[in-house]
Amino acid sequence: MTHRFFKAAPAVYEAMRAQIDAAWGYPTEHTQTSIPPADAQHKAADGDCIMGVQVEWLGWEPVATLMPQMLAAGQVVEISEAEYWAAMPKPS
């Protein structure tokens, strides 16, 4: 397995993005943010952000600490790969 799949409310997603950006020192001259902002992220039908995350990335701090905490609190939900692809926008 190379990826795991998750969904989170846009506010939760943005909080996570802000924490990762702060830990990694973003923005910089060359990189604005660690992950796309919530308004640019793919959304499920319920409006939650959907994410396909490389397993390796889940081991990097602060993600390695944040993700288990958010999963345990129910702020982030792990979904199957099939659920992820079903939620992705279809080309017109």
Side-chain angles (χ1 to χ4, degrees), residues 2-75:
T2 61
H3 288 75
R4 288 174 60 190
F5 304 92
F6 305 94
K7 64 183 251 174
V12 171
Y13 177 92
E14 279 299 308
M16 183 170 39
R17 184 173 75 88
Q19 290 179 61
I20 296 167
D21 283 356
W24 291 356
Y26 295 143
T28 68
E29 180 181 342
H30 302 289
T31 304
Q32 292 301 306
T33 186
S34 55
I35 56 178
D39 62 358
Q41 186 60 282
H42 295 297
K43 306 275 190 324
D46 62 5
D48 283 351
C49 295
I50 55 172
M51 306 160 268
V53 181
Q54 290 183 352
V55 171
E56 176 185 30
W57 202 76
L58 294 169
W60 301 342
E61 287 299 338
V63 180
T65 300
L66 286 173
M67 191 61 82
Q69 291 172 349
M70 293 179 139
L71 285 165
Q75 296 175 303

